[in-house]
Amino acid sequence: MSGGGHGRERDGTAALAAEAYVYGSPLVLALSAVEACLQEGFGGLAPAPFNDFAHAVRPAAPADGVAAAAVDTVDAIAQLDLSGGPVGLHVPDTGGAYYSLQFADAWSGTFAYVGHRATGTREGDWLVVPPGWSGTVPDGVTGVIDAPTSVVSLVGRIACDGPDDMPRVRALQQELTLTHLGAHAHRTGLPAPDSDVPEALRFFEQLRVWMADFPPAAADRSYQDRFQPLGLLEEGLSPYVSASPGLLRALTQGLALGRARVAEACRPPEGADRTPGAWETDPHLFDHNLDHFGVGTIDSPEWKIPDRETSYLVRAVAARQALWGPHGYEAVCAQTRSDSRGRQLSGAHSYALRLGRPPPVEAFWSVTMYDVPGHHLVENPEDRYAIGDRTPGVVYAADGSLTLYLSRQRPTDPGRAANWLPAPAGDFRPVMRLRTPDQAVLDGSYVIPAVERLDDR
């Protein structure tokens, strides 16, 4: 009898640990990425200390080896630490050219934007302030950005038309600056988990330490209290250094269960009614922030997940699939792996993407080619890795339609060659990025046509 009771207790603890993983994995993933930005670099960018930008020196290229890298923008990432007080952000005048600066808190929730869609492209000075700040705003400040946590990830994307456009982009990068304005020194690193904790429990130790330093929204704290039996709310010495065998087993099982739950949520439902060749998109994947709506965000029901506990799972999926991705109203990504008959796209064939109506966007759109399964850019003799409405020489039909050609070999017809997106020898996946999409994209009334295989004709 007693053994059965202990077994049920362990099962309950494991189930609770699985809930803790779903709830807390975005915090651990986001702050682990912050650490990488500070110490090692991130996504091809060099490391940079707190309150300083790391800038890409050119558009992404196959040699970078970065999965799903965008080539129509150049990245800029900064990790802000507000523990010593506010940070000033200066943005240059881009002359109408697209750029976006996205602010995400330690829990991976996006709470503000500055840039083309959100605030325009004129020069400005912004003040990013820590939670609870009540100081005086300096003269000349364009606006104040209230941060929910004392560490903030600032993710920048600057439109770039290729290597020849980099002198313009570099000039903007030099004018994009951060200045620590606080009266006290800021941190130089994140709070460190106890190094004596066994590797099997490292996730829970990271979650314990970082939850304490970066508390969630007030509405989440009562949910977080349920994790007291796991030791996640313990202060001071780590409860995981000498965890009992029973707790070790339950937490290890819960970690596996939680990871499996998130992985399952990442997969499309079995038996889903899919049109062959349909482009997959989810403009609401990043609607999990329910509490903090600052500059440039849209605080309305259609951009919020109505159920808070559901939002935790969506947040975990978003952090796993595309950490620091923007809301759908800032940008939408669509992808497909199959043609109009449901067959895997492959460099063994030639294809056409016939856009009777080019994608409706306020900024711009492009299609980028990636290999499968690695999702990397594909080396080709043309050095062309994406094509879109800003690509020089693209040929439109008399009726305004546009046909793109996806193939391994360059088309012999000059008009088709102008509209060619090189493909790899093996399987591939094109991704369409729509910057500041119109409502027709967001509500699904604009449907991207399926890719057609040309040798079917």
Side-chain angles (χ1 to χ4, degrees), residues 53 76-80 89 91 98-105 108-118 128 145 152-158 176 286 288 295-297 322-331 435:
F53 273 107
I77 291 183
Q79 303 304 330
L80 311 187
L89 166 68
V91 297
Y98 178 88
Y99 82 99
S100 172
L101 299 179
Q102 175 186 344
F103 297 77
D105 64 23
S108 80
T110 296
F111 64 90
Y113 294 91
V114 169
H116 184 273
R117 176 199 60 82
V128 188
I145 297 172
V152 169
S153 297
L154 199 172
V155 182
R157 303 170 179 95
I158 303 173
L176 187 62
F286 303 99
H288 48 79
V295 174
T297 59
L323 182 67
W324 302 329
H327 286 95
Y329 50 77
E330 182 66 42
R435 309 285 181 178

Side-chain angles (χ1 to χ4, degrees), residues 375-400:
H375 304 160
H376 294 108
L377 297 171
V378 179
E379 193 77 57
N380 66 79
E382 301 288 321
D383 285 335
R384 176 180 280 187
Y385 309 111
I387 191 169
D389 59 358
R390 298 182 306 159
T391 303
V394 168
V395 178
Y396 289 81
D399 61 1

Side-chain angles (χ1 to χ4, degrees), residues 107-131:
W107 292 82
S108 80
T110 296
F111 64 90
Y113 294 91
V114 169
H116 184 273
R117 176 199 60 82
T119 59
T121 62
R122 297 180 68 177
E123 184 177 13
D125 288 283
W126 298 85
L127 190 68
V128 188
V129 303

